């Protein structure tokens, strides 16, 4: 029996040995595959890291028209008013930004896809602890190839004292001392920036409107080209607009509504436009009205009014006013103005007969 038992166990041991060998073989294959996968993963990671390093080494390329404007100067000299005026021109303005925060902000805005091409930031004595960072900021902007300018606003000591006394606020550097002490300390802190400034404006004898006009002259140039015009057509039957600087009534022109083939069209369609504009009355009106508008716009530019809205109306706002608005816009653009056009009534669902 013992012999039989031994005989029975021998094949069992052989089978167990075969199983262990097979398991070891499988384990070896699995380990080899794991090592191969690990190596491949490492290669992939290293390749990605290398690509990231290469990408990190690439400097973002700013748009050709990207520009940075640093607004600084004496407290009370008009920095806040200047920031408002520059924002009206179309710049993205940030007040009281620490200089060291300007670097990541510029990096973000010079990346592809950014819609901000003109960045202005106010830097003053409220960020005096960061003034030492300005040199590195300028170096970074130079490395990126970013255009930048420094605008410095100044005023006489007597005028600054007068302005502070009128608002009854302390100077940010006064700290319990005399007002003139704070002004003198600020002048010393900002002397380096003033020397480096591209534009220095003395606001001592300026009103806020004169300052705004001076900024427009410095950043955009002077004259009518600094005035932006919006023209929109409307129908008198729907009400006269409240926000227009000029309202023109063109109901004296031939009405396309009474021409069956034109009735369902609008002033944006050439047949309607030709019908409205080819008359002598339309030609004379367009020339005279353009001349009158240009005379007013030249005066507006001198008086710090840089946005003008013109409304052109007919009965229903579908034909004559639309055609005349487009024609007037072309005439004003030919005079160097920036003009946009809209039609108030064309989207109306309750559109009534234009008669």
């Amino acid at each position: 029996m013992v012999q039989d038992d031994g005989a029975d166990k021998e094949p069992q041991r052989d089978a167990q040995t075969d199983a262990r060998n097979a398991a070891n073989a499988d384990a070896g294959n699995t380990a080899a595959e794991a090592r191969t996968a690990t190596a491949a993963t490492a290669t992939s990671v290293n390749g990605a890291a290398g690509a990231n390093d290469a990408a990190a080494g690439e400097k973002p390329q700013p748009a050709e028209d990207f520009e940075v404007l640093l607004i600084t100067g004496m407290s009370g000299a008009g920095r806040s008013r200047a920031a408002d005026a520059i924002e009206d021109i179309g710049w993205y303005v940030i007040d009281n930004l620490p200089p060291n925060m300007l670097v990541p902000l510029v990096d973000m805005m010079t990346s592809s896809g950014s819609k901000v091409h003109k960045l202005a930031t106010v830097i003053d004595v409220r960020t005096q602890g960061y003034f030492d960072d300005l040199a590195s900021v300028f170096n970074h902007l130079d490395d990126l190839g970013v255009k930048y300018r420094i605008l410095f606003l100044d005023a006489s000591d007597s005028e600054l004292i007068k302005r502070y006394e009128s608002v009854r606020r302390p100077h940010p550097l006064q700290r319990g001392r005399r007002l003139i002490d704070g002004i003198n300390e600020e002048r010393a802190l900002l002397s380096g920036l003033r020397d480096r400034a591209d534009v220095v404006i003395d606001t001592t004898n300026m009103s806020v409107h004169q300052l705004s006009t001076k900024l427009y002259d410095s950043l955009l140039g002077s004259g009518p080209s600094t005035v932006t015009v919006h023209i929109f057509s409307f129908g008198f039957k729907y009400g006269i607009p409240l926000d227009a600087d000029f309202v023109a009534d063109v109901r004296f022109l031939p009405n396309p509504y009474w021409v069956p083939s034109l009735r369902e069209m609008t002033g944006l369609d050439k047949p309607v436009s030709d019908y409205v504009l080819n008359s002598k009355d339309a030609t004379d009106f367009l020339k005279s009205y353009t001349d009158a508008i240009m005379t007013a716009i030249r005066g507006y530019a001198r008086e710090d009014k840089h946005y003008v809205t013109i409304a052109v109306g007919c009965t229903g706002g579908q034909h004559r006013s639309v055609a005349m608005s487009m024609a007037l816009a072309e005439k004003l653009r030919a005079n160097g103005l920036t003009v946009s056009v809209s039609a108030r009534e064309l989207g109306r669902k309750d559109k009534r007969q234009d008669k």
Side-chain angles (χ1 to χ4, degrees):
M1 294 291 295
V2 172
Q3 187 177 3
D4 291 340
D5 290 341
D8 291 338
K9 290 178 180 178
E10 192 63 30
Q12 293 177 6
R13 282 195 296 271
D14 291 342
Q16 292 171 354
T17 300
D18 292 341
R20 283 194 298 270
N21 290 339
N24 290 337
D26 289 341
N29 291 336
T30 301
E33 291 172 359
R35 286 193 295 273
T36 302
T38 301
T41 301
T43 301
S44 176
V45 170
N46 291 335
N52 290 338
D53 290 341
E58 296 177 358
K59 296 176 181 178
Q61 297 299 316
E64 291 185 1
D65 58 348
F66 186 82
E67 186 176 2
V68 175
L69 178 67
L70 303 179
I71 307 169
T72 188
M74 297 295 294
S75 300
R79 287 192 314 261
S80 296
R81 174 58 186 173
D84 290 341
I86 290 168
E87 187 173 40
D88 291 342
I89 295 173
W91 290 67
Y92 186 87
V93 179
I94 301 176
D95 189 18
N96 196 24
L97 181 73
N100 61 350
M101 295 299 295
L102 185 59
V103 170
L105 185 62
V106 168
D107 287 343
M108 178 184 71
M109 291 185 173
T110 52
S111 63
S112 60
S114 175
K115 296 182 180 180
V116 176
H117 291 171
K118 294 188 180 296
L119 171 66
T121 178
V122 179
I123 297 176
D124 53 45
V125 291
R126 291 173 293 174
T127 56
Q128 58 179 305
Y130 300 98
F131 273 9
D132 293 340
D133 298 323
L134 280 175
S136 62
V137 169
F138 295 144
N139 291 335
H140 186 75
L141 295 178
D142 288 333
D143 290 342
L144 287 177
V146 171
K147 297 176 290 185
Y148 67 91
R149 286 183 285 176
I150 301 174
L151 167 66
F152 192 97
L153 299 172
D154 204 351
S156 67
D157 290 351
S158 59
E159 181 63 22
L160 292 176
I161 291 173
K162 177 182 175 182
R163 293 175 185 177
Y164 266 102
E165 288 179 344
S166 67
V167 297
R168 300 181 180 180
R169 294 191 62 191
H171 188 279
L173 298 182
Q174 191 169 345
R175 296 191 295 269
R177 302 176 296 171
R178 295 173 58 200
L179 177 56
I180 191 63
D181 294 331
I183 292 173
N184 289 337
E185 182 178 347
E186 184 178 31
R187 282 203 189 280
L189 284 170
L190 297 178
S191 60
L193 271 179
R194 192 185 195 286
D195 294 340
R196 188 165 181 166
D198 299 281
V199 179
V200 178
I201 299 178
D202 188 334
T203 67
T204 299
N205 298 310
M206 286 186 181
S207 67
V208 292
H209 300 296
Q210 290 170 331
L211 171 59
S212 181
T213 299
K214 181 68 175 179
L215 289 169
Y216 270 84
D217 292 349
S218 299
L219 299 176
L220 292 181
S222 58
S225 63
T226 64
V227 179
T228 299
V229 178
H230 181 72
I231 303 173
F232 70 93
S233 59
F234 73 97
F236 278 96
K237 65 168 62 177
Y238 299 111
I240 298 176
L242 301 177
D243 57 343
D245 298 295
F246 298 94
V247 176
D249 184 349
V250 295
R251 288 177 292 185
F252 65 92
L253 296 175
N255 191 350
Y257 176 84
W258 300 113
V259 180
S261 63
L262 302 179
R263 181 172 299 177
E264 298 305 319
M265 298 182 185
T266 73
L268 297 177
D269 297 306
K270 190 175 188 303
V272 172
S273 179
D274 290 345
Y275 181 86
V276 171
L277 300 175
N278 285 345
S279 68
K280 185 178 185 304
D281 286 344
T283 301
D284 291 345
F285 173 81
L286 186 58
K287 181 181 182 305
S288 299
Y289 199 61
T290 300
D291 291 342
I293 292 293
M294 287 305 303
T295 299
I297 284 178
R298 283 188 286 269
Y300 284 152
R302 290 191 299 269
E303 295 300 319
D304 190 32
K305 181 177 174 62
H306 299 278
Y307 298 91
V308 174
T309 301
I310 303 171
V312 180
C314 61
T315 305
Q318 301 296 318
H319 300 106
R320 294 167 288 182
S321 61
V322 176
M324 184 58 72
S325 293
M326 301 300 294
L328 179 60
E330 289 304 313
K331 290 289 186 181
L332 295 181
R333 289 184 185 121
N335 280 274
L337 301 183
T338 299
V339 185
S340 59
V341 185
S342 64
R344 192 182 77 174
E345 320 300 5
L346 288 188
R348 280 188 175 272
K349 295 182 179 179
D350 61 335
K351 182 169 58 177
R352 288 173 273 171
Q353 293 180 339
D354 187 9
K355 60 182 179 179

